[in-house]
mmCIF file of all heavy atoms in Angstrom:
data_model
loop_
_atom_site.group_PDB
_atom_site.id
_atom_site.type_symbol
_atom_site.label_atom_id
_atom_site.label_comp_id
_atom_site.label_asym_id
_atom_site.label_seq_id
_atom_site.Cartn_x
_atom_site.Cartn_y
_atom_site.Cartn_z
ATOM 1 N N MET J 1 108.012 -76.398 51.046
ATOM 2 C CA MET J 1 107.940 -76.816 49.630
ATOM 3 C C MET J 1 108.604 -78.164 49.426
ATOM 4 O O MET J 1 108.106 -79.032 48.756
ATOM 5 C CB MET J 1 108.665 -75.811 48.727
ATOM 6 C CG MET J 1 107.839 -74.594 48.333
ATOM 7 S SD MET J 1 108.780 -73.563 47.197
ATOM 8 C CE MET J 1 107.497 -72.434 46.756
ATOM 9 N N PHE J 2 109.781 -78.316 50.055
ATOM 10 C CA PHE J 2 110.430 -79.638 49.983
ATOM 11 C C PHE J 2 109.565 -80.708 50.640
ATOM 12 O O PHE J 2 109.587 -81.856 50.123
ATOM 13 C CB PHE J 2 111.810 -79.611 50.597
ATOM 14 C CG PHE J 2 112.917 -79.008 49.743
ATOM 15 C CD1 PHE J 2 113.599 -77.947 50.108
ATOM 16 C CD2 PHE J 2 113.255 -79.689 48.543
ATOM 17 C CE1 PHE J 2 114.617 -77.427 49.281
ATOM 18 C CE2 PHE J 2 114.231 -79.244 47.713
ATOM 19 C CZ PHE J 2 114.907 -78.072 48.038
ATOM 20 N N GLU J 3 108.984 -80.479 51.707
ATOM 21 C CA GLU J 3 108.102 -81.443 52.418
ATOM 22 C C GLU J 3 106.896 -81.839 51.548
ATOM 23 O O GLU J 3 106.581 -83.021 51.479
ATOM 24 C CB GLU J 3 107.623 -80.894 53.712
ATOM 25 C CG GLU J 3 108.667 -80.764 54.800
ATOM 26 C CD GLU J 3 109.216 -82.124 55.257
ATOM 27 O OE1 GLU J 3 108.442 -83.082 55.348
ATOM 28 O OE2 GLU J 3 110.429 -82.132 55.587
ATOM 29 N N LYS J 4 106.287 -80.907 50.887
ATOM 30 C CA LYS J 4 105.173 -81.107 50.042
ATOM 31 C C LYS J 4 105.503 -81.966 48.826
ATOM 32 O O LYS J 4 104.750 -82.738 48.302
ATOM 33 C CB LYS J 4 104.523 -79.826 49.577
ATOM 34 C CG LYS J 4 103.761 -79.109 50.687
ATOM 35 C CD LYS J 4 103.216 -77.786 50.250
ATOM 36 C CE LYS J 4 102.676 -77.001 51.349
ATOM 37 N NZ LYS J 4 102.216 -75.592 50.882
ATOM 38 N N SER J 5 106.745 -81.783 48.293
ATOM 39 C CA SER J 5 107.157 -82.379 47.053
ATOM 40 C C SER J 5 107.950 -83.732 47.366
ATOM 41 O O SER J 5 108.560 -84.225 46.414
ATOM 42 C CB SER J 5 108.007 -81.492 46.257
ATOM 43 O OG SER J 5 109.244 -81.155 46.866
ATOM 44 N N LYS J 6 107.991 -84.183 48.558
ATOM 45 C CA LYS J 6 108.751 -85.393 48.922
ATOM 46 C C LYS J 6 108.235 -86.600 48.197
ATOM 47 O O LYS J 6 109.115 -87.373 47.666
ATOM 48 C CB LYS J 6 108.613 -85.623 50.445
ATOM 49 C CG LYS J 6 109.569 -86.748 50.939
ATOM 50 C CD LYS J 6 109.469 -86.851 52.423
ATOM 51 C CE LYS J 6 110.636 -85.986 52.987
ATOM 52 N NZ LYS J 6 110.801 -86.173 54.437
ATOM 53 N N ASP J 7 106.955 -86.783 48.032
ATOM 54 C CA ASP J 7 106.413 -87.975 47.349
ATOM 55 C C ASP J 7 106.260 -87.772 45.907
ATOM 56 O O ASP J 7 106.492 -88.658 45.071
ATOM 57 C CB ASP J 7 105.028 -88.445 48.001
ATOM 58 C CG ASP J 7 105.268 -88.838 49.440
ATOM 59 O OD1 ASP J 7 106.281 -89.409 49.801
ATOM 60 O OD2 ASP J 7 104.308 -88.601 50.252
ATOM 61 N N LYS J 8 105.759 -86.587 45.488
ATOM 62 C CA LYS J 8 105.518 -86.325 44.119
ATOM 63 C C LYS J 8 105.741 -84.832 43.863
ATOM 64 O O LYS J 8 105.312 -83.972 44.606
ATOM 65 C CB LYS J 8 104.033 -86.683 43.784
ATOM 66 C CG LYS J 8 103.685 -86.582 42.367
ATOM 67 C CD LYS J 8 102.263 -86.969 42.123
ATOM 68 C CE LYS J 8 101.918 -86.838 40.613
ATOM 69 N NZ LYS J 8 100.558 -87.227 40.398
ATOM 70 N N GLY J 9 106.469 -84.553 42.790
ATOM 71 C CA GLY J 9 106.722 -83.174 42.387
ATOM 72 C C GLY J 9 108.182 -82.803 42.493
ATOM 73 O O GLY J 9 109.039 -83.580 42.857
ATOM 74 N N SER J 10 108.440 -81.538 42.163
ATOM 75 C CA SER J 10 109.788 -80.998 42.128
ATOM 76 C C SER J 10 109.847 -79.593 42.664
ATOM 77 O O SER J 10 108.836 -78.854 42.668
ATOM 78 C CB SER J 10 110.311 -81.003 40.718
ATOM 79 O OG SER J 10 110.391 -82.292 40.203
ATOM 80 N N VAL J 11 110.977 -79.190 43.102
ATOM 81 C CA VAL J 11 111.204 -77.806 43.509
ATOM 82 C C VAL J 11 112.433 -77.272 42.663
ATOM 83 O O VAL J 11 113.439 -77.920 42.631
ATOM 84 C CB VAL J 11 111.560 -77.717 45.026
ATOM 85 C CG1 VAL J 11 111.914 -76.276 45.425
ATOM 86 C CG2 VAL J 11 110.424 -78.224 45.844
ATOM 87 N N TRP J 12 112.191 -76.199 42.049
ATOM 88 C CA TRP J 12 113.252 -75.569 41.217
ATOM 89 C C TRP J 12 113.744 -74.321 41.918
ATOM 90 O O TRP J 12 112.975 -73.499 42.370
ATOM 91 C CB TRP J 12 112.724 -75.143 39.871
ATOM 92 C CG TRP J 12 112.323 -76.245 39.028
ATOM 93 C CD1 TRP J 12 113.154 -77.050 38.207
ATOM 94 C CD2 TRP J 12 111.009 -76.780 38.845
ATOM 95 N NE1 TRP J 12 112.433 -78.008 37.557
ATOM 96 C CE2 TRP J 12 111.142 -77.945 37.929
ATOM 97 C CE3 TRP J 12 109.793 -76.527 39.379
ATOM 98 C CZ2 TRP J 12 110.064 -78.681 37.554
ATOM 99 C CZ3 TRP J 12 108.689 -77.248 39.021
ATOM 100 C CH2 TRP J 12 108.851 -78.314 38.111
ATOM 101 N N ILE J 13 115.044 -74.162 42.036
ATOM 102 C CA ILE J 13 115.626 -73.033 42.711
ATOM 103 C C ILE J 13 116.604 -72.392 41.753
ATOM 104 O O ILE J 13 117.484 -73.020 41.151
ATOM 105 C CB ILE J 13 116.409 -73.476 43.970
ATOM 106 C CG1 ILE J 13 115.459 -74.141 44.961
ATOM 107 C CG2 ILE J 13 117.095 -72.274 44.644
ATOM 108 C CD1 ILE J 13 116.039 -74.838 46.137
ATOM 109 N N THR J 14 116.514 -71.050 41.635
ATOM 110 C CA THR J 14 117.418 -70.331 40.702
ATOM 111 C C THR J 14 118.074 -69.205 41.568
ATOM 112 O O THR J 14 117.435 -68.596 42.413
ATOM 113 C CB THR J 14 116.663 -69.663 39.502
ATOM 114 O OG1 THR J 14 115.621 -68.891 39.977
ATOM 115 C CG2 THR J 14 116.136 -70.790 38.646
ATOM 116 N N LEU J 15 119.309 -68.962 41.246
ATOM 117 C CA LEU J 15 120.038 -67.846 41.867
ATOM 118 C C LEU J 15 120.527 -66.909 40.745
ATOM 119 O O LEU J 15 121.024 -67.288 39.702
ATOM 120 C CB LEU J 15 121.221 -68.410 42.608
ATOM 121 C CG LEU J 15 120.832 -69.247 43.833
ATOM 122 C CD1 LEU J 15 120.917 -70.672 43.414
ATOM 123 C CD2 LEU J 15 121.808 -68.963 44.979
ATOM 124 N N LYS J 16 120.383 -65.573 41.047
ATOM 125 C CA LYS J 16 120.713 -64.616 40.006
ATOM 126 C C LYS J 16 121.330 -63.359 40.707
ATOM 127 O O LYS J 16 120.856 -62.926 41.766
ATOM 128 C CB LYS J 16 119.468 -64.235 39.320
ATOM 129 C CG LYS J 16 119.603 -63.206 38.247
ATOM 130 C CD LYS J 16 118.240 -62.967 37.627
ATOM 131 C CE LYS J 16 118.236 -61.822 36.646
ATOM 132 N NZ LYS J 16 116.974 -61.579 36.027
ATOM 133 N N ARG J 17 122.236 -62.740 40.085
ATOM 134 C CA ARG J 17 122.836 -61.529 40.566
ATOM 135 C C ARG J 17 121.874 -60.384 40.191
ATOM 136 O O ARG J 17 121.373 -60.249 39.076
ATOM 137 C CB ARG J 17 124.207 -61.252 39.963
ATOM 138 C CG ARG J 17 124.879 -60.027 40.532
ATOM 139 C CD ARG J 17 126.225 -59.844 39.913
ATOM 140 N NE ARG J 17 126.078 -58.850 38.872
ATOM 141 C CZ ARG J 17 127.077 -58.128 38.438
ATOM 142 N NH1 ARG J 17 128.246 -58.338 38.874
ATOM 143 N NH2 ARG J 17 126.883 -57.189 37.526
ATOM 144 N N SER J 18 121.513 -59.534 41.108
ATOM 145 C CA SER J 18 120.619 -58.437 40.842
ATOM 146 C C SER J 18 120.863 -57.337 41.849
ATOM 147 O O SER J 18 121.401 -57.441 42.940
ATOM 148 C CB SER J 18 119.140 -58.944 41.160
ATOM 149 O OG SER J 18 118.249 -57.949 41.044
ATOM 150 N N SER J 19 120.560 -56.093 41.321
ATOM 151 C CA SER J 19 120.705 -54.931 42.183
ATOM 152 C C SER J 19 119.365 -54.468 42.725
ATOM 153 O O SER J 19 119.263 -53.554 43.436
ATOM 154 C CB SER J 19 121.390 -53.773 41.388
ATOM 155 O OG SER J 19 120.541 -53.411 40.342
ATOM 156 N N LEU J 20 118.277 -55.078 42.195
ATOM 157 C CA LEU J 20 116.901 -54.656 42.560
ATOM 158 C C LEU J 20 116.563 -53.211 42.184
ATOM 159 O O LEU J 20 115.756 -52.610 42.852
ATOM 160 C CB LEU J 20 116.617 -54.968 43.985
ATOM 161 C CG LEU J 20 116.778 -56.407 44.426
ATOM 162 C CD1 LEU J 20 116.508 -56.544 45.953
ATOM 163 C CD2 LEU J 20 115.754 -57.266 43.680
ATOM 164 N N LYS J 21 117.248 -52.718 41.235
ATOM 165 C CA LYS J 21 117.009 -51.370 40.811
ATOM 166 C C LYS J 21 116.734 -51.359 39.260
ATOM 167 O O LYS J 21 117.214 -52.217 38.561
ATOM 168 C CB LYS J 21 118.229 -50.472 41.015
ATOM 169 C CG LYS J 21 118.667 -50.341 42.507
ATOM 170 C CD LYS J 21 119.473 -49.182 42.779
ATOM 171 C CE LYS J 21 119.904 -49.120 44.222
ATOM 172 N NZ LYS J 21 118.878 -48.934 45.165
ATOM 173 N N SER J 22 115.962 -50.449 38.825
ATOM 174 C CA SER J 22 115.622 -50.325 37.391
ATOM 175 C C SER J 22 116.834 -49.807 36.613
ATOM 176 O O SER J 22 117.810 -49.315 37.228
ATOM 177 C CB SER J 22 114.452 -49.370 37.201
ATOM 178 O OG SER J 22 114.788 -48.067 37.452
ATOM 179 N N LYS J 23 116.746 -49.927 35.309
ATOM 180 C CA LYS J 23 117.882 -49.434 34.484
ATOM 181 C C LYS J 23 118.123 -47.961 34.691
ATOM 182 O O LYS J 23 119.215 -47.469 34.635
ATOM 183 C CB LYS J 23 117.628 -49.820 32.995
ATOM 184 C CG LYS J 23 117.727 -51.247 32.691
ATOM 185 C CD LYS J 23 117.568 -51.517 31.237
ATOM 186 C CE LYS J 23 117.669 -52.993 30.912
ATOM 187 N NZ LYS J 23 117.517 -53.273 29.494
ATOM 188 N N LEU J 24 116.966 -47.202 34.802
ATOM 189 C CA LEU J 24 117.094 -45.760 34.943
ATOM 190 C C LEU J 24 117.829 -45.413 36.234
ATOM 191 O O LEU J 24 118.696 -44.541 36.320
ATOM 192 C CB LEU J 24 115.703 -45.170 34.943
ATOM 193 C CG LEU J 24 115.618 -43.636 35.007
ATOM 194 C CD1 LEU J 24 116.362 -42.950 33.872
ATOM 195 C CD2 LEU J 24 114.189 -43.185 35.138
ATOM 196 N N GLN J 25 117.490 -46.118 37.296
ATOM 197 C CA GLN J 25 118.107 -45.901 38.616
ATOM 198 C C GLN J 25 119.634 -46.218 38.580
ATOM 199 O O GLN J 25 120.432 -45.538 39.110
ATOM 200 C CB GLN J 25 117.416 -46.671 39.732
ATOM 201 C CG GLN J 25 116.063 -46.198 40.110
ATOM 202 C CD GLN J 25 115.362 -47.054 41.018
ATOM 203 O OE1 GLN J 25 115.607 -48.281 41.045
ATOM 204 N NE2 GLN J 25 114.422 -46.526 41.820
ATOM 205 N N LYS J 26 119.940 -47.320 37.856
ATOM 206 C CA LYS J 26 121.356 -47.714 37.707
ATOM 207 C C LYS J 26 122.122 -46.606 36.975
ATOM 208 O O LYS J 26 123.247 -46.320 37.311
ATOM 209 C CB LYS J 26 121.435 -49.022 36.936
ATOM 210 C CG LYS J 26 121.034 -50.244 37.782
ATOM 211 C CD LYS J 26 121.173 -51.477 36.930
ATOM 212 C CE LYS J 26 120.469 -52.664 37.495
ATOM 213 N NZ LYS J 26 120.541 -53.860 36.625
ATOM 214 N N ARG J 27 121.557 -46.065 35.874
ATOM 215 C CA ARG J 27 122.256 -45.022 35.179
ATOM 216 C C ARG J 27 122.514 -43.776 36.001
ATOM 217 O O ARG J 27 123.565 -43.187 35.913
ATOM 218 C CB ARG J 27 121.432 -44.699 33.926
ATOM 219 C CG ARG J 27 121.483 -45.682 32.835
ATOM 220 C CD ARG J 27 120.733 -45.235 31.563
ATOM 221 N NE ARG J 27 120.370 -46.343 30.752
ATOM 222 C CZ ARG J 27 119.195 -46.540 30.131
ATOM 223 N NH1 ARG J 27 118.256 -45.587 30.266
ATOM 224 N NH2 ARG J 27 118.971 -47.586 29.505
ATOM 225 N N LYS J 28 121.468 -43.415 36.811
ATOM 226 C CA LYS J 28 121.616 -42.245 37.641
ATOM 227 C C LYS J 28 122.791 -42.451 38.669
ATOM 228 O O LYS J 28 123.567 -41.577 38.873
ATOM 229 C CB LYS J 28 120.360 -41.959 38.392
ATOM 230 C CG LYS J 28 119.294 -41.331 37.506
ATOM 231 C CD LYS J 28 118.014 -41.024 38.320
ATOM 232 C CE LYS J 28 116.931 -40.456 37.441
ATOM 233 N NZ LYS J 28 115.673 -40.182 38.195
ATOM 234 N N LEU J 29 122.782 -43.663 39.293
ATOM 235 C CA LEU J 29 123.858 -44.007 40.242
ATOM 236 C C LEU J 29 125.184 -43.939 39.589
ATOM 237 O O LEU J 29 126.176 -43.491 40.176
ATOM 238 C CB LEU J 29 123.585 -45.284 40.886
ATOM 239 C CG LEU J 29 122.399 -45.325 41.970
ATOM 240 C CD1 LEU J 29 122.149 -46.771 42.428
ATOM 241 C CD2 LEU J 29 122.763 -44.477 43.132
ATOM 242 N N SER J 30 125.347 -44.643 38.389
ATOM 243 C CA SER J 30 126.630 -44.695 37.756
ATOM 244 C C SER J 30 127.102 -43.320 37.257
ATOM 245 O O SER J 30 128.241 -42.997 37.299
ATOM 246 C CB SER J 30 126.586 -45.683 36.578
ATOM 247 O OG SER J 30 125.697 -45.271 35.629
ATOM 248 N N SER J 31 126.125 -42.458 36.783
ATOM 249 C CA SER J 31 126.578 -41.084 36.368
ATOM 250 C C SER J 31 126.936 -40.219 37.561
ATOM 251 O O SER J 31 127.776 -39.316 37.456
ATOM 252 C CB SER J 31 125.456 -40.439 35.565
ATOM 253 O OG SER J 31 124.277 -40.232 36.412
ATOM 254 N N ALA J 32 126.390 -40.529 38.683
ATOM 255 C CA ALA J 32 126.704 -39.775 39.934
ATOM 256 C C ALA J 32 128.014 -40.281 40.512
ATOM 257 O O ALA J 32 128.541 -39.701 41.468
ATOM 258 C CB ALA J 32 125.626 -39.843 40.960
ATOM 259 N N GLY J 33 128.502 -41.382 40.012
ATOM 260 C CA GLY J 33 129.718 -41.971 40.523
ATOM 261 C C GLY J 33 129.590 -42.845 41.746
ATOM 262 O O GLY J 33 130.572 -43.244 42.403
ATOM 263 N N GLU J 34 128.320 -43.199 42.066
ATOM 264 C CA GLU J 34 128.060 -44.071 43.197
ATOM 265 C C GLU J 34 128.147 -45.528 42.785
ATOM 266 O O GLU J 34 127.862 -45.877 41.633
ATOM 267 C CB GLU J 34 126.732 -43.772 43.798
ATOM 268 C CG GLU J 34 126.553 -42.405 44.397
ATOM 269 C CD GLU J 34 125.188 -42.159 44.915
ATOM 270 O OE1 GLU J 34 124.537 -43.146 45.315
ATOM 271 O OE2 GLU J 34 124.756 -40.998 44.937
ATOM 272 N N SER J 35 128.589 -46.421 43.698
ATOM 273 C CA SER J 35 128.651 -47.816 43.326
ATOM 274 C C SER J 35 127.315 -48.463 43.517
ATOM 275 O O SER J 35 126.578 -48.080 44.452
ATOM 276 C CB SER J 35 129.742 -48.466 44.147
ATOM 277 O OG SER J 35 129.383 -48.464 45.521
ATOM 278 N N ILE J 36 127.055 -49.475 42.757
ATOM 279 C CA ILE J 36 125.802 -50.212 42.874
ATOM 280 C C ILE J 36 126.044 -51.505 43.692
ATOM 281 O O ILE J 36 126.979 -52.224 43.396
ATOM 282 C CB ILE J 36 125.300 -50.614 41.402
ATOM 283 C CG1 ILE J 36 125.072 -49.315 40.671
ATOM 284 C CG2 ILE J 36 124.007 -51.428 41.557
ATOM 285 C CD1 ILE J 36 124.767 -49.625 39.156
ATOM 286 N N GLU J 37 125.185 -51.654 44.702
ATOM 287 C CA GLU J 37 125.355 -52.883 45.543
ATOM 288 C C GLU J 37 124.537 -54.016 44.895
ATOM 289 O O GLU J 37 123.384 -53.899 44.748
ATOM 290 C CB GLU J 37 124.839 -52.633 46.963
ATOM 291 C CG GLU J 37 124.911 -53.811 47.815
ATOM 292 C CD GLU J 37 124.172 -53.678 49.157
ATOM 293 O OE1 GLU J 37 123.797 -52.545 49.492
ATOM 294 O OE2 GLU J 37 124.048 -54.726 49.823
ATOM 295 N N TYR J 38 125.254 -55.057 44.478
ATOM 296 C CA TYR J 38 124.563 -56.192 43.901
ATOM 297 C C TYR J 38 124.280 -57.161 45.009
ATOM 298 O O TYR J 38 124.967 -57.381 45.961
ATOM 299 C CB TYR J 38 125.406 -56.836 42.814
ATOM 300 C CG TYR J 38 125.481 -56.015 41.561
ATOM 301 C CD1 TYR J 38 126.541 -55.210 41.304
ATOM 302 C CD2 TYR J 38 124.363 -56.041 40.655
ATOM 303 C CE1 TYR J 38 126.572 -54.385 40.139
ATOM 304 C CE2 TYR J 38 124.406 -55.299 39.517
ATOM 305 C CZ TYR J 38 125.496 -54.515 39.276
ATOM 306 O OH TYR J 38 125.578 -53.742 38.115
ATOM 307 N N ARG J 39 123.061 -57.819 44.831
ATOM 308 C CA ARG J 39 122.638 -58.839 45.848
ATOM 309 C C ARG J 39 122.310 -60.092 45.055
ATOM 310 O O ARG J 39 122.329 -60.100 43.811
ATOM 311 C CB ARG J 39 121.364 -58.327 46.459
ATOM 312 C CG ARG J 39 121.532 -57.025 47.202
ATOM 313 C CD ARG J 39 120.228 -56.467 47.736
ATOM 314 N NE ARG J 39 119.608 -57.286 48.744
ATOM 315 C CZ ARG J 39 119.969 -57.287 50.019
ATOM 316 N NH1 ARG J 39 120.914 -56.463 50.467
ATOM 317 N NH2 ARG J 39 119.325 -58.052 50.910
ATOM 318 N N CYS J 40 122.045 -61.175 45.758
ATOM 319 C CA CYS J 40 121.735 -62.454 45.156
ATOM 320 C C CYS J 40 120.189 -62.676 45.264
ATOM 321 O O CYS J 40 119.689 -62.713 46.387
ATOM 322 C CB CYS J 40 122.498 -63.625 45.815
ATOM 323 S SG CYS J 40 122.176 -65.161 44.994
ATOM 324 N N LEU J 41 119.527 -62.713 44.109
ATOM 325 C CA LEU J 41 118.105 -62.947 44.079
ATOM 326 C C LEU J 41 117.834 -64.445 44.007
ATOM 327 O O LEU J 41 118.364 -65.066 43.042
ATOM 328 C CB LEU J 41 117.450 -62.193 42.956
ATOM 329 C CG LEU J 41 115.940 -62.293 42.768
ATOM 330 C CD1 LEU J 41 115.249 -61.698 43.947
ATOM 331 C CD2 LEU J 41 115.505 -61.695 41.442
ATOM 332 N N ILE J 42 117.163 -64.984 44.925
ATOM 333 C CA ILE J 42 116.957 -66.413 44.937
ATOM 334 C C ILE J 42 115.446 -66.680 44.784
ATOM 335 O O ILE J 42 114.628 -66.116 45.456
ATOM 336 C CB ILE J 42 117.411 -67.106 46.279
ATOM 337 C CG1 ILE J 42 118.923 -66.818 46.409
ATOM 338 C CG2 ILE J 42 117.131 -68.513 46.310
ATOM 339 C CD1 ILE J 42 119.386 -66.390 47.755
ATOM 340 N N ARG J 43 115.102 -67.529 43.784
ATOM 341 C CA ARG J 43 113.723 -67.848 43.558
ATOM 342 C C ARG J 43 113.501 -69.358 43.726
ATOM 343 O O ARG J 43 114.391 -70.171 43.283
ATOM 344 C CB ARG J 43 113.289 -67.446 42.154
ATOM 345 C CG ARG J 43 113.266 -66.025 41.892
ATOM 346 C CD ARG J 43 112.740 -65.701 40.529
ATOM 347 N NE ARG J 43 112.729 -64.303 40.281
ATOM 348 C CZ ARG J 43 113.230 -63.694 39.222
ATOM 349 N NH1 ARG J 43 113.616 -64.422 38.176
ATOM 350 N NH2 ARG J 43 113.157 -62.408 39.052
ATOM 351 N N ALA J 44 112.374 -69.715 44.307
ATOM 352 C CA ALA J 44 112.044 -71.146 44.408
ATOM 353 C C ALA J 44 110.616 -71.298 43.973
ATOM 354 O O ALA J 44 109.737 -70.488 44.280
ATOM 355 C CB ALA J 44 112.216 -71.639 45.834
ATOM 356 N N THR J 45 110.400 -72.404 43.236
ATOM 357 C CA THR J 45 109.058 -72.690 42.736
ATOM 358 C C THR J 45 108.755 -74.157 42.770
ATOM 359 O O THR J 45 109.666 -74.958 42.544
ATOM 360 C CB THR J 45 108.760 -72.080 41.377
ATOM 361 O OG1 THR J 45 107.368 -72.298 41.056
ATOM 362 C CG2 THR J 45 109.618 -72.685 40.295
ATOM 363 N N ASP J 46 107.541 -74.584 43.011
ATOM 364 C CA ASP J 46 107.146 -75.938 42.931
ATOM 365 C C ASP J 46 106.002 -76.037 41.904
ATOM 366 O O ASP J 46 105.213 -76.954 41.948
ATOM 367 C CB ASP J 46 106.673 -76.463 44.285
ATOM 368 C CG ASP J 46 105.454 -75.737 44.861
ATOM 369 O OD1 ASP J 46 105.022 -74.709 44.202
ATOM 370 O OD2 ASP J 46 104.930 -76.204 45.943
ATOM 371 N N ALA J 47 105.963 -75.219 40.932
ATOM 372 C CA ALA J 47 105.024 -75.100 39.812
ATOM 373 C C ALA J 47 103.702 -74.629 40.259
ATOM 374 O O ALA J 47 102.868 -74.278 39.403
ATOM 375 C CB ALA J 47 104.915 -76.501 39.120
#
């Protein structure tokens, strides 16, 4: 992506904390007393 956008264009990168689980799954884990493992979700786009 960076190579393609070298002459013209842009690359946008976003980082976000995520557990990759739905709200329902999070509630079940929290009610069961289990901890939720959070990960870093990284997105890149060149439009």
